[in-house]
Amino acid sequence: MASQFRLGLKGKMSLLLALLLVFIVTCLSVLVLRGIRDNQRTMLEQSFSRQAEAANLRVREEYLSESKIPPDRFMEQTGQRLAVDLGAQSGMAVTLYTADGAFAGTSLPFQSKADVQDALQYTAQGHSAYITQGDQLLFLAPLYNADQRLGTVQFHATLVEQNAFYARICQLFILAGATVLGVGFLIGYVYVRRQVNVIDRLNKAAVQIGQGEYLLTLPIVRKDELGELAQGIYEMSGSISASVGALHEEKQKLIETVGRLRELEQQQKQFIGNISHELKTPLTSIIAYADLLTMYSDDPALLDDAGRRIHAEAQRLYSLVEKALQLSAMDVYEFETRAESVSLRPLLEEAAARLQGKADSCGVTIHTSLVEGEVWADPENVMHIMLNLLDNAIKYNRPGGQVRLLNYVAASAEGAQRMRIEVADTGIGIPKEAVSRIFDPFYTVSRDRSRASGGTGLGLALVRNLTEKQGGTVQLVETGPSGSRLRVELLLHAGDSNKTIYTADDEGADS
Ligand code: ADP
């Protein structure tokens, strides 16, 4: 199976650095070494030119001092001697040739076997020539007397020293090159490693963000482009986190809304089922009494009884329909609730007054203990709430019992100032098992008892709905065999929220 080899940034940069260093060191070495070689050559050429000039001078002097003989003869006769002289003078082995290229003499103990014919032809044209053979260098230069060619002088030089020097320099360069390469690569590698580590950290930060772990601090602090990139990633993380948070919040709200809608739908279904059932009961009674009326139209006692019962059932039907309409209208026409500043004391007095007749007929006394105060609510709704609570307090009371209505400002559970209205009675109380359900629509503790008192099971449901619509709360504070106490909390009108807390004991007298 082919291995998935992947050359990382660190590897690539290191390789690039190594190649770059090798290239630079090689270029530098080649250039410097070539310079050295050229320099050696120029110095050698200059030295040979000087030697050649000196040799030419010496041969010309000798030639001019001789009685006029042709140059070839001159060279043949004096070549050997002159070669030895010139060898001693220059410190190099010297060989002389005639202008035709024939051997004329040498300072060497033997005759050189080097093939110099091409070079001799070249010097015949007036040029100097070089021939290298291993460590040996032959330099050939023409000899002149004015325009007349006398022959050719050949110097034998050894390159051993130059070559040894060049080899030493080469070694030095290889050593220096290797050192530069090694140290340079090491420094470069450490630097590249540090940069790549920084990139690795940024990469990890990006992966972290991808997994939903947003950055709390900058991944790296630097004053260069990588630092700017880190800052960018950090800010991006912040805005993603904020957007995701907002999205999550929206989603949560949506889930809650859907849940609430389902709940509402369920409640509506239950409500329709209940109301149909509740409407059927009084209607069945009315039909039954109507039948009796037609069957026994001559019985005055029955007529009277049936008439009263039909009236009572029709009354119950009426109040049932009215409350059901109010309840359903609240869900549908929510915007119709109009909050305003409501002066509470007169409103509560009015509510108590409206139920005074009912209280009298039930033998119940209403006491009020009221303080001034403005609430922010719909006055119609507050009136409905109070009428229902007072109605219950009278209905579920005992003959000779009492109802107490009071209001005061106090801090709510959240610590904000609220207006509290309490309705307490000395009635029959609510059984423990029913306490959690009394605010449910159509819930009645005892169907017979409610029916007897004209109850529908919708009163407290209406109260709760209305209070919550005002931004308030309603709760059963206490209940027992000696009575119950229900409390409504409403928003204070802004102007009143800073008022001192009043309690029922501070102000107001029983009426
Ligand atoms: P209803 O029209 O039957 O009075 P409500 O919703 O007003 O319906 O009340 C629900 C139930 O709570 C009633 O059936 C009643 O038994 C009980 N209840 C309400 N208020 C009181 C109270 N002040 N004292 C005793 N029981 C009460």
Side-chain angles (χ1 to χ4, degrees):
M1 209 172 78
S3 65
Q4 293 268 314
F5 177 72
R6 177 174 162 264
L7 195 59
L9 196 58
K10 229 180 281 184
K12 280 181 191 160
M13 296 288 275
S14 305
L15 200 65
L16 182 76
L17 194 73
L19 288 173
L20 208 66
L21 280 171
V22 167
F23 177 72
I24 292 170
V25 167
T26 311
C27 280
L28 271 178
S29 306
V30 167
L31 284 174
V32 172
L33 288 174
R34 180 170 288 177
I36 291 173
R37 253 284 191 255
D38 286 350
N39 188 44
Q40 275 184 334
R41 197 188 186 89
T42 314
M43 280 169 62
L44 213 61
E45 265 178 33
Q46 286 171 352
S47 155
F48 278 133
S49 303
R50 278 197 305 275
Q51 293 297 346
E53 264 174 44
N56 201 2
L57 207 67
R58 172 83 175 84
V59 171
R60 204 171 67 198
E61 270 174 17
E62 191 77 29
Y63 178 66
L64 291 176
S65 66
E66 290 287 328
S67 51
K68 285 218 169 201
I69 52 169
D72 280 0
R73 282 260 326 268
F74 165 74
M75 288 301 279
E76 278 163 15
Q77 283 175 11
T78 56
Q80 182 58 35
R81 186 171 49 85
L82 274 173
V84 174
D85 281 359
L86 288 173
Q89 179 187 316
S90 64
M92 283 184 273
V94 173
T95 303
L96 289 172
Y97 296 93
T98 65
D100 299 337
F103 176 75
T106 181
S107 68
L108 285 168
F110 52 87
Q111 194 174 338
S112 168
K113 290 195 181 80
D115 180 11
V116 294
Q117 284 315 306
D118 288 347
L120 282 172
Q121 275 175 21
Y122 192 60
T123 53
Q125 292 161 21
H127 306 298
S128 305
Y130 293 93
I131 299 172
T132 43
Q133 287 177 337
D135 284 346
Q136 293 299 310
L137 177 82
L138 300 180
F139 178 74
L140 291 96
L143 296 169
Y144 283 97
N145 173 31
D147 289 341
Q148 188 181 23
R149 263 203 75 208
L150 296 176
T152 300
V153 63
Q154 174 187 307
F155 292 99
H156 300 249
T158 172
L159 290 176
V160 173
E161 243 178 68
Q162 275 96 333
N163 284 349
F165 173 71
Y166 189 73
R168 263 204 320 279
I169 294 288
C170 275
Q171 270 176 356
L172 262 175
F173 260 91
I174 290 171
L175 198 72
T179 313
V180 166
L181 196 73
V183 174
F185 182 74
L186 206 72
I187 293 171
Y189 180 77
V190 170
Y191 180 74
V192 166
R193 218 177 113 93
R194 282 187 58 192
Q195 304 307 310
V196 171
N197 281 349
V198 169
I199 295 174
D200 272 350
R201 269 161 62 194
L202 291 177
N203 190 26
K204 272 192 197 121
V207 170
Q208 214 180 315
I209 295 171
Q211 289 166 347
E213 289 169 37
Y214 301 107
L215 307 180
L216 301 173
T217 51
L218 272 174
I220 51 159
V221 180
R222 287 169 70 114
K223 284 183 180 157
D224 57 9
E225 285 83 349
L226 285 174
E228 282 168 20
L229 180 63
Q231 180 74 30
I233 291 177
Y234 176 65
E235 281 167 15
M236 184 185 76
S237 163
S239 49
I240 291 179
S241 162
S243 310
V244 167
L247 269 178
H248 188 72
E249 224 171 83
E250 285 296 315
K251 188 181 161 193
Q252 215 49 41
K253 275 187 198 160
L254 259 176
I255 290 172
E256 275 170 26
T257 311
V258 168
R260 177 88 192 109
L261 276 174
R262 289 220 175 100
E263 210 176 281
L264 257 175
E265 192 188 30
Q266 195 56 36
Q267 278 177 8
Q268 268 178 354
K269 277 186 187 156
Q270 207 181 337
F271 186 78
I272 291 168
N274 284 343
I275 199 147
S276 318
H277 181 260
E278 289 300 319
L279 287 173
K280 223 172 124 187
T281 322
L283 278 173
T284 315
S285 299
I286 292 172
I287 292 166
Y289 282 115
D291 284 349
L292 279 178
L293 278 178
T294 44
M295 281 161 67
Y296 306 102
S297 52
D298 49 350
D299 183 342
L302 190 107
L303 269 178
D304 183 49
D305 187 40
R308 268 191 296 105
R309 282 178 192 269
I310 286 173
H311 179 80
E313 290 299 332
Q315 194 61 49
R316 217 167 82 75
L317 209 56
Y318 179 79
S319 98
L320 197 69
V321 169
E322 193 186 45
K323 283 184 181 169
L325 281 176
Q326 276 177 354
L327 265 177
S328 65
M330 261 188 293
D331 282 335
V332 183
Y333 304 113
E334 198 171 333
F335 57 87
E336 285 186 356
T337 304
R338 291 263 178 268
E340 58 184 71
S341 173
V342 180
S343 184
L344 200 60
R345 188 172 181 161
L347 189 144
L348 294 179
E349 279 167 353
E350 160 85 16
R354 281 206 209 170
L355 284 166
Q356 194 55 57
K358 183 162 186 168
D360 292 344
S361 64
C362 296
V364 173
T365 322
I366 302 178
H367 302 277
T368 56
S369 178
L370 304 173
V371 294
E372 297 289 348
E374 307 260 310
V375 289
W376 191 249
D378 181 332
E380 280 279 308
N381 288 348
V382 181
M383 182 55 88
H384 275 305
I385 294 167
M386 294 326 300
L387 289 178
N388 274 290
L389 290 181
L390 287 170
D391 187 51
N392 279 353
I394 297 165
K395 271 195 307 195
Y396 303 113
N397 219 315
R398 298 190 174 89
Q402 320 223 330
V403 172
R404 193 171 151 84
L405 172 65
L406 59 110
N407 74 319
Y408 57 96
V409 178
S412 70
E414 294 81 40
Q417 297 285 77
R418 294 274 188 267
M419 175 62 80
R420 285 186 181 173
I421 308 161
E422 288 188 2
V423 178
D425 62 59
T426 54
I428 56 178
I430 298 161
K432 248 191 203 152
E433 64 278 8
V435 165
S436 62
R437 302 193 54 200
I438 53 168
F439 292 100
D440 293 348
F442 297 105
Y443 179 76
T444 51
V445 172
S446 153
R447 193 162 283 269
D448 295 341
R449 195 182 72 180
S450 276
R451 194 157 294 164
S453 56
T456 55
L458 290 176
L460 286 182
L462 191 66
V463 166
R464 191 177 60 178
N465 261 307
L466 286 172
T467 2
E468 284 172 3
K469 289 267 158 359
Q470 321 291 310
T473 55
V474 60
Q475 57 173 317
L476 175 68
V477 184
E478 58 184 13
T479 186
S482 54
S484 315
R485 183 154 63 101
L486 281 105
R487 177 191 295 157
V488 173
E489 253 181 30
L490 291 177
L491 298 180
L492 276 173
H493 177 220
D496 262 17
S497 55
N498 294 327
K499 261 191 176 172
T500 348
I501 300 174
Y502 293 104
T503 62
D505 303 329
D506 297 334
E507 203 184 313
D510 287 3
S511 64

